Amino acid sequence: MNTGSQLIKNNFRVEKLPHIWCPGCGHGILMRAVTEAIENLNLDKKKVCIVSGIGCSSRAPGYMDFNTLHTTHGRALAFATGIKLAKPELKVIVITGDGDCTAIGGNHLIHAARRNIDITTIVFNNNIYGMTGGQYSPTTPKNEFGTTAPFGNIDKAFDVCKLADGAGATYVARGTAYHVKQLIKLVEKGINNKGFSLIDAISICPTYYGRKNKKGLAVDMMNYLKDNAVDVKAVKKFQKEILEDKFVIGEFKNTTEPEYTDEYNKILEKVKHLHK
Amino acid sequence: MNKRQIKLMQGNEACVEGALAAGIKFYAGYPITPSTEIAELCAEKLPQVGGKFIQMEDEIAGIAATIGGSLTGLKSMTATSGPGFSLKQENIGYAALAEIPCVIVNVQRAGPSTGLPTAPSQGDIMQAKWGTHGDHPVIALSPTSVRETYDLTIKAFNFSEKYRTPVILLLDEIIGHMREKVEIPNSDEIEIIDRLKPSVEDADEYMAYKPKKGELVPPMAAFGEGFNFHVTGLMHDDFGFPTNDANISDQLLRRIMKKIDNNVNDITMYEEEFMEDAEFLVLAYGGTYRSARSAVKKARLLGYKVGLFKALTIWPFPEKRIREISNKIKKILVPEMNLGQYVLEVERVVKNESEVHHLGKVNGEAITPEEILSKIREVL
Ligand SMILES: Cc1ncc(C[n+]2csc(CCOP(=O)(O)OP(=O)(O)O)c2C)c(N)n1
Ligand code: SF4
């Protein structure tokens, strides 16, 4: 097992720390969990590629000592698809925000899932646009507030997991910044899945989401995650009414289907005789 | 020496053949008329050379995946037209600042908006230079024949690799869909340039954005080779890490501009004809050049002392040469399939040395030799 400092020394660009995130932000916990999953799997660091879009969450790869790419807003999965297809031996991991992944990047998300390309996507989901100062996102719950929803949000929120499942992802799970041990396992299983994996990692943004919606301090928001998450395995035990205000965590889908780069390799085999 | 292969082909096909000769191994794009044949041919031919093709969900994803492909070390290209070129702009700027070599083909069609999807145009000349936000380096090339499309596609890859920058290849519907006989050069007759790479021993000290002393282009490692470097579209330091530092940002932007500005002689390609005694000049590029040449030849027979300038490199503008020419030329005519784009650059450069005239057409039809000839008669 690794002590904390060893994990950091082995996997982070220590000279780039401290990070830019606000005190109490959940993103740092999630970043560490992703790194710990990579470490636990003993992946070859030279072959790990971490891609992100734009947002507070998308700043994570800059601190992580792998092949790292910080792209344009929403496009992480499109860049990652190019990398994975061009060099399938790389383990490609995408770190993205709820806005980055499901608003501007929603099209890329559903198509990466549909292709079942071997990319593991971890959505740092804080239910708000943090980087731009607290506007509502596609995962902001109905009736909550953002700087662009001063009278309450009338949009219905996405369930990121159902979205990914419906689009064809073969591994789908949800974890939180509070349930770190579980999250690490979910990320590990996502990386091990040969296909498109999505882990909806619930984060906290005390600075904007918390303040706009009177959720208290970071500690209160963490307690909220602790008290309101129901494990998918325990769901059956509860009555519907009790579950209404809760959210479900755990593994939702773990299946095997043909993977995109494998399928492309078959084409390469098929036309081999035509090689000049 | 091997006998050269002779083939009848379309401009779009010559683009793919040129790309293959240059060593393309990755293509990502989204179909759009009149560029679609480029995607179709790449889908067919790339796997046959061990390369990869993917049809993405839109043009933004097309260029994003192309940049991703290039980051793994493969020569990469995407192709599009009009509306798709608009969608690609943000990531063209990304490739310019992050210094990722790639080729973007735009087979121009009449716009704005959906416009006339099957009609030729030269309406994206200024967009090629200014389409993405912020100051940024631009190389754009525009062939006037099928054979030149082959050659300039190779050049586009070479420049992108040599200068670590995106290169735009501007075809127009005329050139893209025209069929001509092409004598394909043998591989030993073609110059191929590959990006400069750092040596693996230097992995620990590698700085992805620090050129060697006295140089402007930093060696580029590929993902997965052990260099574990960072790439961002934010202003960054020599290691590639984001910075807000005013000096570092200023130096970075100036360096990537200098990659082009200090090498205009290498990048600028043009041809001149009938210049010895010329008092007048027709300056043309792309599909319109063909009509311009025919018009100039007819004008010569009628006794007009007209010269002809063919711009193959659109950006950087052949500034030095045009300024020289303007010293002895009284009038310059610029015919182009737009309402006045490249002509602005000519005016800027010649100042008041020569009188500059424009012949523009935007109805989706090509400019004819007769139209150019009658304009020559009118203004000269
Ligand atoms: C094309 C484009 N549009 C808008 C922006 C501005 N922008 C930057 S980050 C962001 C939202 C980020 O939210 P999210 O992805 O949820 O990440 P968070 O900051 O909350 O971690 C927006 C709208 C941008 N950078 N680029
Ligand atoms: S604004 Fe919110 S998401 Fe961004 S760093 Fe601060 S707490 Fe985190």
Side-chain angles (χ1 to χ4, degrees):
Chain A
M1 220 194 78
N2 259 300
T3 66
S5 64
Q6 244 175 339
L7 177 84
I8 288 167
K9 251 192 255 157
N10 289 350
N11 298 286
F12 285 90
R13 292 166 174 148
V14 181
E15 70 284 4
K16 302 299 163 201
L17 298 168
H19 55 63
I20 60 158
W21 296 313
C22 307
C25 178
H27 289 352
I29 301 172
L30 302 178
M31 172 172 76
R32 194 197 141 108
V34 173
T35 313
E36 205 156 335
I38 294 171
E39 177 93 355
N40 290 349
L41 292 174
N42 231 332
L43 299 181
D44 179 357
K45 281 181 66 183
K46 290 180 198 156
K47 301 291 176 195
V48 174
C49 175
I50 306 189
V51 185
S52 67
I54 296 290
C56 297
S57 36
S58 290
R59 291 300 283 269
Y63 307 116
M64 302 166 79
D65 194 17
F66 305 94
N67 302 278
T68 53
L69 180 63
H70 178 225
T71 69
T72 45
H73 191 31
R75 316 303 170 195
L77 275 166
F79 281 80
T81 296
I83 290 169
K84 183 68 193 178
L85 178 61
K87 210 172 208 175
E89 78 209 52
L90 296 178
K91 282 274 176 205
V92 180
I93 296 168
V94 166
I95 292 179
T96 172
D98 41 298
D100 197 59
C101 184
T102 68
I104 190 166
N107 200 27
H108 310 308
L109 169 66
I110 59 174
H111 289 280
R114 177 178 61 84
R115 293 184 189 105
N116 194 32
I117 188 164
D118 188 10
I119 294 172
T120 302
T121 298
I122 298 115
V123 187
F124 287 19
N125 185 353
N126 56 9
N127 311 96
I128 203 91
Y129 291 169
M131 172 93 26
T132 41
Q135 300 76 32
Y136 66 95
S137 91
T139 65
T140 304
K142 195 161 181 162
N143 299 326
E144 297 223 325
F145 296 91
T147 57
T148 46
F151 309 111
N153 173 29
I154 59 170
D155 285 21
K156 191 178 160 187
F158 261 142
D159 179 326
V160 185
C161 291
K162 284 188 181 154
L163 179 63
D165 178 1
T170 44
Y171 184 88
V172 180
R174 179 177 293 124
T176 86
Y178 178 81
H179 307 82
V180 177
K181 286 234 162 69
Q182 178 195 36
L183 179 65
I184 294 167
K185 284 282 161 263
L186 297 174
V187 174
E188 282 175 30
K189 288 179 84 174
I191 293 172
N192 275 340
N193 171 46
K194 178 88 180 155
F196 189 79
S197 307
L198 181 133
I199 293 103
D200 183 17
I202 308 297
S203 188
I204 58 168
C205 170
T207 304
Y208 292 114
Y209 183 74
R211 228 169 33 191
K212 275 276 151 198
N213 292 288
K214 305 203 166 47
K215 301 283 182 190
L217 302 172
V219 179
D220 304 310
M221 295 181 78
M222 285 298 254
N223 278 327
Y224 176 86
L225 297 182
K226 182 180 99 182
D227 297 337
N228 290 280
V230 178
D231 198 281
V232 66
K233 289 185 216 127
V235 165
K236 280 192 216 104
K237 284 193 269 180
F238 294 99
Q239 279 171 313
K240 243 195 179 158
E241 298 77 61
I242 294 177
L243 287 173
E244 239 161 44
D245 297 326
K246 310 272 178 195
F247 62 95
V248 185
I249 58 172
E251 188 179 290
F252 302 130
K253 188 178 186 185
N254 190 354
T255 55
T256 307
E257 290 200 36
E259 190 274 329
Y260 191 82
T261 61
D262 278 350
E263 294 300 299
Y264 201 89
N265 278 338
K266 288 184 197 158
I267 292 186
L268 291 180
E269 276 303 310
K270 215 187 273 180
V271 300
K272 218 171 189 170
H273 65 285
L274 298 170
H275 278 203
K276 280 171 214 141
Chain B
M1 205 177 79
N2 288 332
K3 226 175 143 245
R4 294 196 190 104
Q5 207 192 340
I6 293 180
K7 261 178 101 173
L8 178 72
M9 53 176 158
Q10 207 186 42
N12 283 347
E13 192 181 349
C15 173
V16 175
E17 290 298 333
L20 287 165
I24 184 178
K25 285 289 175 319
F26 192 88
Y27 180 100
Y30 190 80
I32 181 167
T33 306
S35 73
T36 306
E37 295 84 3
I38 297 175
E40 290 170 341
L41 284 165
C42 282
E44 182 189 329
K45 304 217 162 181
L46 272 173
Q48 296 181 40
V49 296
K52 310 276 173 76
F53 167 92
I54 184 168
Q55 180 169 309
M56 295 299 288
E57 50 275 14
D58 59 32
E59 287 86 349
I60 302 173
I63 184 164
T66 299
I67 295 169
S70 182
L71 271 162
T72 70
L74 304 188
K75 289 188 181 177
S76 305
M77 175 170 95
T78 186
T80 190
S81 296
F85 193 52
S86 293
L87 285 178
K88 288 187 191 295
Q89 293 302 328
E90 184 190 10
N91 282 337
I92 292 176
Y94 183 90
L97 183 61
E99 298 182 76
I100 317 292
C102 57
V103 174
I104 301 109
V105 185
N106 173 17
V107 187
Q108 297 167 90
R109 68 186 223 184
S113 191
T114 311
L116 294 164
T118 57
S121 155
Q122 294 173 312
D124 307 343
I125 296 300
M126 283 299 174
Q127 189 187 16
K129 185 159 170 70
W130 297 114
T132 196
H133 56 283
D135 288 297
H136 56 277
V138 175
I139 299 176
L141 313 176
S142 188
T144 72
S145 69
V146 176
R147 171 59 201 264
E148 269 176 14
T149 304
Y150 181 91
D151 294 339
L152 291 196
T153 306
I154 297 172
K155 280 275 183 198
F157 273 97
N158 284 350
F159 288 150
S160 78
E161 293 283 317
K162 185 170 178 182
Y163 298 113
R164 260 190 88 169
T165 197
V167 175
I168 296 165
L169 186 66
L170 288 170
L171 308 188
D172 50 62
E173 195 277 338
I174 298 175
I175 301 300
H177 281 166
M178 183 173 62
R179 280 175 207 280
E180 279 184 318
K181 199 172 74 176
V182 176
E183 195 177 274
I184 299 173
N186 290 315
S187 56
D188 56 4
E189 297 172 281
I190 301 172
E191 186 199 19
I192 303 292
I193 299 175
D194 295 325
R195 67 190 71 169
L196 203 65
K197 301 196 66 158
S199 63
V200 184
E201 299 85 70
D202 296 340
D204 288 338
E205 282 109 63
Y206 179 56
M207 287 192 245
Y209 293 93
K210 191 177 170 65
K212 294 207 179 98
K213 223 180 155 167
E215 289 179 16
L216 289 166
V217 186
M220 182 174 170
F223 276 176
E225 292 179 332
F227 292 85
N228 284 14
F229 59 106
H230 186 59
V231 178
T232 178
L234 287 164
M235 288 293 175
H236 44 268
D237 60 20
D238 288 347
F239 288 94
F241 289 100
T243 179
N244 287 327
D245 184 291
N247 276 331
I248 295 174
S249 303
D250 183 76
Q251 279 166 20
L252 170 62
L253 190 54
R254 287 179 192 278
R255 175 176 65 73
I256 65 173
M257 297 301 282
K258 264 196 216 154
K259 292 193 295 188
I260 311 305
D261 295 344
N262 289 11
N263 291 292
V264 282
N265 288 342
D266 180 40
I267 302 165
T268 309
M269 295 175 289
Y270 55 82
E271 285 172 20
E272 295 169 8
E273 251 185 314
F274 316 113
M275 290 297 280
E276 304 77 45
D277 60 343
E279 292 172 9
F280 311 108
L281 181 76
V282 176
L283 183 154
Y285 57 90
T288 303
Y289 166 82
R290 305 171 73 89
S291 295
R293 184 162 193 271
S294 161
V296 167
K297 283 192 343 206
K298 284 184 187 137
R300 277 277 165 184
L301 291 175
L302 296 172
Y304 293 99
K305 293 190 170 168
V306 194
L308 180 63
F309 187 97
K310 165 161 80 176
L312 289 167
T313 301
I314 301 298
W315 306 114
F317 186 74
E319 199 160 325
K320 206 171 116 215
R321 182 60 191 150
I322 297 298
R323 197 167 285 135
E324 268 167 28
I325 290 176
S326 68
N327 289 331
K328 55 179 192 129
I329 294 281
K330 292 186 191 130
K331 295 180 182 181
I332 302 177
L333 171 65
V334 183
E336 49 183 346
M337 289 181 280
N338 58 49
L339 290 178
Q341 296 195 17
Y342 215 40
V343 68
L344 297 175
E345 205 66 4
V346 178
E347 284 170 355
R348 179 183 72 78
V349 166
V350 306
K351 303 231 162 60
N352 296 320
E353 288 295 327
S354 326
E355 207 178 289
V356 179
H357 293 268
H358 185 249
L359 172 61
K361 197 169 176 183
V362 289
N363 64 354
E365 288 170 4
I367 300 176
T368 63
E370 293 68 36
E371 285 169 325
I372 297 174
L373 186 61
S374 78
K375 189 77 180 180
I376 290 174
R377 288 176 132 147
E378 178 195 320
V379 301
L380 310 186

